[in-house]
Amino acid sequence: MKKKKVGKSILQIGFCVLGLSGFISDTNAQTTKLTLDLTKPGANVSPMLYGLMTEEINHSYDGGLYAELIRNRIFKDNPTKPEAWSLIQEDTNTSKASMKLIAAAPDNVPFDERRHAISGALQTCLRLTVEKAGGRVGIANEGYWGIPVKPNTTYKASFYIKGTGSIQPQRRPGVPPPTNPAPVIEDNTAGPITVTIESSDGKTVYASGTIDLIKSAFWKKYELTLITAADVKATTNARFVISTNRAGLYYFNLVSLFPPTYKNQSNGFRSDLMQMLVDMKPKFLRFPGGNFLEGPLITDAFPWKQTLGPLENRPGHRGSWGYRPSDGLGLLEFLLWCENMKAEAVLGVYAGYSLNGDHIDAGPLLKSYVDDALDEIEYIIGDVKTYWGAKRAADGHPAPFKLTYIEVGNEDWFDRSGSYEGRFNQFREAIEKKYPQLICISTIADAQYPDLKVKTGKKAAVLDEHYYRNSWAMWENASQYDKYDRKGPKIFVGEWATREGAPTTNLNAALGDAAWMTGMERNSDLIIMSCYAPLFVNVNTATATAPKAWQWDSDLIGYNALTSFGSPSYYVQKLFSSYLGNKIVTSTSENIPTQPRPLTRRDSTDGITKAPQVPTVFYAATKNDKTGTIYLKLINTSGKEQPIEINLKGISKISSDATLIVIKGSKPEDTNTITDPEKIIPATSKINGIAPVFTRMLDPYSVSIFQLQTGK
Ligand code: AHR
């Protein structure tokens, strides 16, 4: 915004409405005016302006984008109990059964109780002990807040199983026999094992199949498909059951159930969610975090090496948000996700700082972490002749992925020890030495943390700024980038959101977002990338057996096991990214109406006693210089209709027809939910009456995008 005259409130502006819907004639000198200077070409819009940020939070992957339906499939979520699993006994009078976690055990446990590992990653299994089977006996998984059942759907189930009879422990000489010996159970395990998707009360079977368990005390993986009928009613009130009617000891591990995935990719993504992301047309994906990159302790950082290859080799890890990620969505899957969206990776590498405040000092101790980052980069872009490039090829992707930006750490402003400067420089020097084409991003932004800024070494070319604010703060600061130094580093707004509404944001948040985005877009010569956070939220609340699914309020895309929806903010993101030119159109405004912002506690600390005035209209314009299309974004955050005169300076030829896309609602709290997913969605219409100077009425609480066609 080059010139801004803040004028009177729109309530004080007189106007009369013409017959033509939405157009008004205004004779008052105080008319709100916007001039788009089309006499000269503007600066380039950053080709990477809008992207996505992701991490495992709010069950974004497990119970979200990663299509696996079995929760706790390798039984490591809780070392004390088989969480999400329950015992099924059809007839408790005639059956006797129990289930138990058999974990990697110390030496003093009998040998037979210990030898159940399948791999270094799969060392804990579930044992179903069937002493007497008077009917169906089995284990049930409740999924991630239910197993989604849909009609006409083919599910792929697989699991490791082995069967045996009583445990006959080999005891060490001198060790006395147990006082409570294990019961003698015959090995009747061989034969059909039934696999079902059924209602949670077991009364309705939606899909069923069997595997033929061979007589063997060794692990074997079995696979089968389960198909639902056309007349099945969609529900999440369902469970996955593996059952038998014969006595014996049954051991299970890596129990998996996949619905059809996006483009049928194996170990793939939930289709509806991936499609919503593809529809946003993001230019990049920032991963793996966020806090998820760092982990609570230094040993909990995102362990990218153990997220590669067969699921049998993925133990999962502690995570940063209170639950154990399976890492089924690992490094390669992040990259395939980028590929699905035709986006490039923005890779966050662990830089030696953990959430509990520990850090590794720059120097020899940090070297192994730098080497690990170099390996990770080699996995992504290395030639197949390199060690990690060859691993990528062996994992099924010989072609390197696109990578330009490496972010060194995450939010290192939390590290008040001052160690980041050394850590950043050590990473940057090593990365740029091996890969001169890559650009390293510093997580400490000069403007946000002037006291912490990196002062030695080469200046970082890009700084990451994060903003979580309410809508007032977004409106108040929407033009902050108008004043930034153009000679300084480029800015990556790597996390930001207007935090209003839970679990997903409401209309007011979307108005905050849209206003903020106009500021980024007008300054997209400087703001080279931006991404909202968090992206995903599983909206389930706590049940008797599962905790609340989310940890962070105000998220972009919500879902349960069956359906998903976009928040009003989601639609703002999608529209901003879809309707974007390649040149910034310099714009100036007059008489933008304002409203007083409520005073905050911070104001009183700062000695501010008079409510500051905050604009209620925001704007950004870009142009595609090949097609001559102008994209004008106008936001009205007030509850009143707002007339605005638009002057297309330097334009002699303009089509009188245009496309208008509007997101609006009747009150700021309006929102979308899992049961009312489309209350606030964009509406597209054709309008006419566009001229080099024209006036439009902006709806209350609205985001309007005008697609105007000039003669080139
Ligand atoms: O987006 C949620 C969290 O906010 C991120 O993990 C962290 O980087 C930030 O503090």
Side-chain angles (χ1 to χ4, degrees):
M1 229 183 271
K2 292 283 177 309
K3 178 179 127 198
K4 194 176 73 179
K5 285 187 211 154
V6 173
K8 286 183 182 168
S9 154
I10 183 56
L11 293 172
Q12 298 167 272
I13 298 175
F15 58 89
C16 68
V17 180
L18 288 181
L20 205 52
S21 161
F23 285 87
I24 57 110
S25 156
D26 179 73
T27 49
N28 193 308
Q30 293 298 310
T31 303
T32 298
K33 288 184 180 171
L34 180 63
T35 301
L36 275 49
D37 186 356
L38 295 150
T39 56
K40 46 188 181 292
N44 288 336
V45 172
S46 166
M48 299 260 292
L49 181 59
Y50 295 127
L52 302 180
M53 185 270 171
T54 181
E55 65 173 316
E56 181 55 293
I57 183 174
N58 301 328
H59 286 274
S60 290
Y61 314 148
D62 293 342
L65 183 65
Y66 181 48
E68 174 65 82
L69 299 178
I70 302 298
R71 183 183 189 123
N72 195 14
R73 68 184 174 188
I74 64 168
F75 307 106
K76 282 189 147 178
D77 283 9
N78 184 332
T80 61
K81 60 174 186 185
E83 231 165 66
W85 292 92
S86 57
L87 182 69
I88 303 290
Q89 282 192 88
E90 211 162 54
D91 185 343
T92 42
N93 295 323
T94 52
S95 299
K96 189 163 181 206
S98 61
M99 64 175 195
K100 184 181 175 193
L101 280 186
I102 309 287
D107 279 357
N108 60 358
V109 165
F111 186 65
D112 278 42
E113 288 258 313
R114 278 191 273 139
R115 56 180 187 188
H116 296 294
I118 293 177
S119 65
L122 305 186
Q123 301 219 17
T124 301
C125 64
L126 184 68
R127 186 177 69 203
L128 170 68
T129 301
V130 185
E131 286 183 55
K132 274 194 294 175
R136 185 171 85 126
V137 178
I139 55 169
N141 188 274
E142 66 186 51
Y144 292 97
W145 295 270
I147 298 282
V149 174
K150 293 183 188 175
N152 258 336
T153 303
T154 302
Y155 297 79
K156 286 184 186 161
S158 66
F159 50 93
Y160 282 83
I161 183 173
K162 61 179 180 175
T164 182
S166 314
I167 302 163
Q168 299 300 330
Q170 294 173 3
R171 307 220 164 262
R172 287 203 181 125
V175 176
T179 48
N180 184 14
V184 175
I185 302 166
E186 67 176 306
D187 177 0
N188 199 9
T189 53
I193 295 287
T194 305
V195 182
T196 48
I197 299 174
E198 57 184 52
S199 57
S200 299
D201 61 8
K203 289 185 180 151
T204 311
V205 173
Y206 298 114
S208 169
T210 56
I211 56 117
D212 198 15
L213 177 60
I214 57 164
K215 188 169 175 58
S216 168
F218 297 104
W219 287 112
K220 181 170 156 45
K221 185 177 180 180
Y222 292 84
E223 292 171 285
L224 73 160
T225 53
L226 301 171
I227 304 172
T228 54
D231 59 356
V232 156
K233 216 169 145 235
T235 180
T236 59
N237 190 12
R239 65 189 186 186
F240 175 75
V241 175
I242 308 175
S243 61
T244 178
N245 54 11
R246 299 179 306 282
L249 301 174
Y250 298 83
Y251 295 84
F252 299 91
N253 213 333
L254 192 53
V255 184
S256 173
L257 180 70
F258 271 85
T261 56
Y262 184 77
K263 295 197 169 162
N264 287 322
Q265 291 161 348
S266 68
N267 193 43
F269 307 99
R270 196 171 135 168
S271 294
D272 58 339
L273 295 179
M274 184 56 80
Q275 192 57 55
M276 287 183 81
L277 303 181
V278 170
D279 292 347
M280 293 174 80
K281 300 187 177 42
K283 295 298 189 298
F284 66 88
L285 180 69
R286 174 182 178 233
F287 67 85
N291 291 354
F292 186 57
L293 168 70
E294 301 158 279
L297 303 176
I298 284 168
T299 44
D300 299 321
F302 178 64
W304 67 270
K305 281 177 182 153
Q306 65 180 42
T307 72
L308 297 175
L311 297 183
E312 284 80 350
N313 293 339
R314 303 191 197 190
H317 75 288
R318 185 174 172 197
S320 298
W321 294 99
Y323 58 94
R324 186 180 174 83
S326 71
D327 292 333
L329 198 160
L331 177 58
L332 181 65
E333 288 75 23
F334 279 117
L335 296 164
L336 296 172
W337 171 359
C338 291
E339 228 170 47
N340 283 340
M341 303 188 303
K342 298 187 177 54
E344 73 174 83
V346 171
L347 177 71
V349 294
Y350 179 64
Y353 176 75
S354 65
L355 297 172
N356 78 338
D358 281 339
H359 74 267
I360 317 276
D361 273 325
L365 289 177
L366 195 65
K367 185 170 182 312
S368 62
Y369 295 88
V370 174
D371 291 344
D372 196 60
L374 293 174
D375 289 349
E376 192 173 8
I377 295 168
E378 188 173 284
Y379 184 88
I380 298 172
I381 58 173
D383 186 271
V384 290
K385 292 192 202 76
T386 63
Y387 180 84
W388 286 103
K391 289 258 187 224
R392 185 193 65 239
D395 289 342
H397 204 285
F401 291 92
K402 187 144 196 287
L403 184 70
T404 311
Y405 294 98
I406 306 292
E407 179 150 20
V408 180
N410 176 59
E411 296 193 337
D412 289 81
W413 65 76
F414 279 110
D415 174 11
R416 296 299 163 123
S417 73
S419 76
Y420 187 62
E421 182 154 344
R423 292 189 286 113
F424 176 76
N425 285 333
Q426 193 170 338
F427 271 86
R428 201 205 59 216
E429 277 158 27
I431 291 169
E432 289 180 2
K433 186 163 170 221
K434 187 163 176 199
Y435 300 103
Q437 77 277 24
L438 295 182
I439 298 167
C440 287
I441 301 171
S442 161
T443 75
I444 299 188
D446 295 0
Q448 278 195 296
Y449 301 96
D451 300 345
L452 299 173
K453 71 179 171 192
V454 174
K455 294 180 207 80
T456 61
K458 213 168 77 187
K459 185 93 195 146
V462 183
L463 308 179
D464 182 1
E465 298 188 356
H466 291 184
Y467 297 100
Y468 291 104
R469 291 166 161 164
N470 64 20
S471 52
W472 285 110
M474 283 303 194
W475 297 331
E476 188 167 23
N477 293 290
S479 49
Q480 72 178 52
Y481 292 122
D482 295 351
K483 304 169 209 97
Y484 264 46
D485 176 10
R486 260 41 192 188
K487 289 188 224 81
K490 299 286 185 195
I491 303 297
F492 170 32
V493 191
E495 287 181 33
W496 68 269
T498 311
R499 297 196 66 193
E500 287 175 28
T504 50
T505 54
N506 60 24
L507 177 63
N508 210 44
L511 295 171
D513 293 345
W516 173 249
M517 291 173 89
T518 60
M520 294 198 291
E521 201 164 296
R522 273 198 318 276
N523 292 285
S524 60
D525 55 322
L526 173 75
I527 312 300
I528 56 164
M529 296 185 289
S530 70
C531 44
Y532 184 100
L535 182 60
F536 281 135
V537 61
N538 185 315
V539 299
N540 278 286
T541 49
T543 66
T545 49
K548 180 179 159 195
W550 81 89
Q551 299 79 44
W552 187 279
D553 286 348
S554 306
D555 305 288
L556 203 66
I557 296 173
Y559 46 85
N560 62 13
L562 204 54
T563 61
S564 48
F565 66 97
S567 63
S569 298
Y570 166 79
Y571 290 107
V572 165
Q573 295 277 322
K574 186 173 152 186
L575 293 186
F576 266 67
S577 146
S578 303
Y579 294 88
L580 185 65
N582 62 333
K583 299 281 176 194
I584 301 167
V585 178
T586 306
S587 316
T588 51
S589 61
E590 289 168 60
N591 304 324
I592 293 285
T594 64
Q595 59 182 337
R597 164 176 74 62
L599 286 168
T600 63
R601 223 178 293 155
R602 174 79 190 267
D603 289 325
S604 76
T605 318
D606 294 348
I608 298 171
T609 50
K610 191 166 167 259
Q613 289 292 314
V614 170
T616 61
V617 170
F618 300 86
Y619 58 87
T622 59
K623 181 178 174 183
N624 182 319
D625 63 356
K626 309 247 162 9
T627 62
T629 310
I630 295 171
Y631 302 97
L632 171 61
K633 291 159 181 163
L634 288 168
I635 325 302
N636 177 16
T637 66
S638 78
K640 304 276 174 207
E641 287 187 319
Q642 171 64 49
I644 184 161
E645 182 188 292
I646 294 144
N647 183 349
L648 304 172
K649 189 173 154 201
I651 286 292
S652 53
K653 239 172 106 187
I654 181 122
S655 166
S656 71
D657 299 330
T659 302
L660 171 64
I661 308 102
V662 179
I663 299 175
K664 64 178 178 180
S666 52
K667 44 184 196 315
E669 303 76 32
D670 279 352
T671 196
N672 297 333
T673 63
I674 199 83
T675 48
D676 190 3
E678 298 199 331
K679 190 177 172 76
I680 309 274
I681 55 168
T684 304
S685 59
K686 294 285 172 209
I687 56 170
N688 52 35
I690 304 297
V693 180
F694 66 100
T695 300
R696 284 289 304 186
M697 184 74 87
L698 302 179
D699 288 319
Y701 305 126
S702 67
V703 176
S704 302
I705 301 186
F706 294 83
Q707 185 177 317
L708 312 173
Q709 192 55 50
T710 65
K712 280 180 274 175

